[in-house]
Amino acid sequence: MGDRLICDPAELKELFLFEKLDDEQLAWLCRDGRVERFEPGLVFREGDPATCFYVLMEGEVVLTKMSGGEEIELVRTDHHGSYAGAWTAYMGDKVDQNYTGSFYVTRPSTFFVLDAGTFARMVQTWFPMALHLLEGVFFGNRNANERVGQRERLLALGSLSAGLTHELNNPAAAAVRATSSLRERVAGMRHKLKMMAHGTFDSRTLESLVQLQEEAAAQVGKAPTLTPLEAADREDELGDWLQDHGIGNGWEIAPTFVQAGFDIDWLEKVHGTLTECSDGVFEGAIRWLNYTVETELLMNEIADSTTRISSLVNAAKQYSQMDRAPFQVVDIHELLDSTLVMLGRKIGDDIEVVKEYDHTLPSVPCYAAELNQVWTNLIDNAIAAMQGRGTLTVRTYRENDCAVVEIGDTGPGVPDEIRHRIFEPFFTTKPVGEGTGLGLDISFRIVVNKHGGDIRVVSEPGDTRFIVRLPLTSPAGAEVAAAQTETGGE
């Protein structure tokens, strides 16, 4: 164990793993974690019980793994925020809880350290949906090369958890807000109905009012799309009309009616229906109709939010291939779409996504979860090449007996002198600490070795395309391996 130092939440927030956390979460980390300084030497050894999760704050580390009786250096980095250790603690006894590699410090270095149990509670509490998905990805890729697979999932933990949690949180929070507002509007509606009951209505007028309510509810779904300027002008017109007809604070009601697509003609129709009623009853009726419109708008918002959540969950299940056989015959476009959804936050608003799909392509026999890893690696590289701004093109077509997928970007391109090396293990053009050099190596292994396909790159400034060819016939032995997996055969 190293020397204990003071934990400062502000310093933790500078680490990319924690940069999106709020003050309460940062305080929680400082309270339950610790900052330690280590002298050069071994921090933990491969195969020992995984007791701690380490995040580099200052210094340099080396991660190694035994292979053929020799200790191989996987990565050496001084990148602040790099992390290693008991990162699978959140899976409990579902996986082996030993260190998968050895971890060394090359010079005096400072780490933020969480005990394995504390780290597990953090992930389970803060990222429950991401935890479920990460487990699916972890076990779905178990047959891949263990050394490379574990390293890639380690680096993906922070961004996948934060991105998916963010995407799910937005519609969930919107639904909660809308539900709370809906409860208030329904209560107000009951109150206004009670006030109106004390007015003088003949059956004909009451029937007309109920019909207006039905019209109001139906109109919400047919509301036109207005520009901000058009909406502002209509709000002013409706607000003035309401004020002129004795409706106090009419400007508060006007935006709701405008959003639903109503105009002065409709208000005149309501006024004509209730022309014999007192002003108080007329105002109560207008506010009652306003509540009707608001409830419809809020229910639409809840429906949109829950539909978005459902879409994200379905995309996540498609991406992770949970509850599905490793080998399947699938529509390749479903895999591409689910990957784009999962990476949506990382793609951002400044990258235009262009899909050029050939929907006449037949289904492709493949290891679906592993192909999603290929698309993830290629799209992630494209985003990095464009530095978050440009056009990402995803194209599919048939070429002889192969389905072809192209991932294109408008970045600066891959220089000729390194193009022949990009599929080599551990080769990367990214700064130290930002890339392992394993993404394209993994992609090559999955496409070429596992599917009998081909992957290559064509590049010039402004047009880089990674071209993946997948046979439309099953890889040799794939169906047998899949059947043995399903039946538990040897």
Side-chain angles (χ1 to χ4, degrees), residues 200-201 205 212 245 267-279 281-282 285:
T200 302
F201 288 94
T205 302
L212 286 169
H245 288 76
L267 291 176
E268 290 285 4
K269 182 179 179 180
V270 176
H271 186 259
T273 301
L274 303 175
T275 187
E276 297 180 1
C277 300
S278 64
D279 290 340
V281 173
F282 174 64

Coordinates of all heavy atoms in Angstrom, one line a residue, residues 200-201 205 212 245 267-279 281-282 285:
T200 N -74.9 28.4 -14.7 CA -76.2 28.0 -15.3 C -76.0 27.4 -16.7 O -75.6 28.2 -17.6 CB -77.2 29.2 -15.4 OG1 -77.3 29.7 -14.1 CG2 -78.5 28.8 -15.9
F201 N -76.2 26.2 -16.8 CA -76.0 25.5 -18.1 C -77.2 24.7 -18.5 O -77.8 24.0 -17.6 CB -74.8 24.5 -18.1 CG -73.5 25.1 -18.0 CD1 -72.8 25.3 -16.8 CD2 -72.8 25.5 -19.2 CE1 -71.6 25.9 -16.7 CE2 -71.5 26.1 -19.1 CZ -70.9 26.3 -17.9
T205 N -76.2 23.5 -24.0 CA -74.9 24.2 -23.8 C -73.8 23.2 -23.3 O -72.7 23.2 -23.7 CB -75.0 25.4 -22.9 OG1 -76.0 26.3 -23.4 CG2 -73.7 26.1 -22.8
L212 N -66.8 20.5 -27.5 CA -65.6 21.3 -27.7 C -64.3 20.7 -27.0 O -63.2 20.8 -27.5 CB -65.8 22.7 -27.1 CG -66.7 23.6 -27.9 CD1 -67.1 24.9 -27.1 CD2 -66.0 24.1 -29.2
H245 N -61.7 39.5 -23.6 CA -62.9 38.8 -23.2 C -62.9 38.4 -21.7 O -63.6 37.5 -21.3 CB -63.1 37.6 -24.1 CG -63.5 37.9 -25.5 ND1 -62.5 38.4 -26.4 CD2 -64.7 37.8 -26.2 CE1 -63.1 38.6 -27.6 NE2 -64.4 38.3 -27.4
L267 N -61.5 30.1 -30.6 CA -61.9 30.8 -29.3 C -63.3 31.5 -29.5 O -64.1 31.5 -28.6 CB -60.9 31.8 -28.9 CG -59.5 31.2 -28.4 CD1 -58.6 32.3 -28.1 CD2 -59.7 30.3 -27.2
E268 N -63.5 32.1 -30.7 CA -64.8 32.7 -30.9 C -65.9 31.6 -30.9 O -67.1 31.9 -30.4 CB -64.8 33.4 -32.3 CG -63.9 34.6 -32.4 CD -64.6 35.8 -31.7 OE1 -65.6 35.7 -31.1 OE2 -63.9 36.9 -31.7
K269 N -65.6 30.4 -31.4 CA -66.6 29.4 -31.4 C -66.9 29.0 -29.9 O -68.1 28.8 -29.6 CB -66.0 28.1 -32.1 CG -67.0 26.9 -32.2 CD -66.3 25.8 -33.0 CE -67.2 24.6 -33.1 NZ -66.5 23.5 -33.8
V270 N -65.9 28.9 -29.1 CA -66.2 28.6 -27.6 C -67.0 29.7 -27.0 O -68.0 29.5 -26.3 CB -64.8 28.5 -26.9 CG1 -65.1 28.3 -25.4 CG2 -64.0 27.3 -27.4
H271 N -66.7 31.0 -27.3 CA -67.4 32.1 -26.8 C -68.9 32.1 -27.2 O -69.8 32.4 -26.4 CB -66.7 33.4 -27.2 CG -67.3 34.6 -26.5 ND1 -68.2 35.5 -27.2 CD2 -67.2 35.1 -25.2 CE1 -68.6 36.4 -26.3 NE2 -67.9 36.2 -25.2
G272 N -69.1 31.8 -28.5 CA -70.5 31.7 -29.0 C -71.3 30.6 -28.3 O -72.5 30.8 -28.0
T273 N -70.6 29.5 -28.0 CA -71.3 28.4 -27.3 C -71.8 28.8 -25.9 O -72.8 28.4 -25.4 CB -70.4 27.2 -27.2 OG1 -70.1 26.8 -28.6 CG2 -71.1 26.0 -26.5
L274 N -70.9 29.6 -25.3 CA -71.2 30.0 -23.9 C -71.6 31.5 -23.7 O -71.5 32.1 -22.6 CB -69.9 29.7 -23.0 CG -69.4 28.3 -23.1 CD1 -68.1 28.2 -22.3 CD2 -70.4 27.3 -22.5
T275 N -72.1 32.1 -24.8 CA -72.4 33.5 -24.8 C -73.4 33.9 -23.7 O -73.4 35.0 -23.3 CB -72.9 33.9 -26.2 OG1 -73.0 35.4 -26.2 CG2 -74.3 33.3 -26.5
E276 N -74.3 33.0 -23.3 CA -75.4 33.3 -22.4 C -74.9 33.1 -20.9 O -75.6 33.4 -20.0 CB -76.6 32.5 -22.6 CG -77.2 32.7 -24.0 CD -78.5 31.9 -24.2 OE1 -78.8 31.1 -23.3 OE2 -79.1 32.0 -25.3
C277 N -73.7 32.6 -20.7 CA -73.2 32.3 -19.4 C -72.5 33.6 -18.8 O -72.1 34.5 -19.6 CB -72.2 31.2 -19.4 SG -72.9 29.6 -20.0
S278 N -72.4 33.6 -17.5 CA -71.7 34.8 -16.9 C -70.2 34.7 -17.2 O -69.7 33.7 -17.6 CB -71.9 34.7 -15.4 OG -71.3 33.5 -14.9
D279 N -69.6 35.9 -17.0 CA -68.1 35.9 -17.4 C -67.3 34.9 -16.6 O -66.4 34.3 -17.1 CB -67.6 37.4 -17.1 CG -68.1 38.3 -18.2 OD1 -68.6 37.9 -19.2 OD2 -68.1 39.6 -17.9
V281 N -68.2 32.0 -15.4 CA -68.4 30.7 -16.0 C -67.6 30.5 -17.3 O -67.0 29.5 -17.5 CB -69.9 30.3 -16.2 CG1 -70.1 29.0 -16.9 CG2 -70.6 30.3 -14.8
F282 N -67.6 31.6 -18.1 CA -66.9 31.5 -19.4 C -65.4 31.4 -19.1 O -64.7 30.5 -19.8 CB -67.2 32.8 -20.2 CG -66.4 32.9 -21.4 CD1 -66.5 31.9 -22.5 CD2 -65.4 33.9 -21.6 CE1 -65.7 32.0 -23.6 CE2 -64.6 34.0 -22.7 CZ -64.8 33.0 -23.7
A285 N -64.7 27.9 -18.0 CA -64.8 26.9 -19.2 C -63.5 27.0 -20.0 O -62.9 26.0 -20.4 CB -66.0 27.2 -20.0

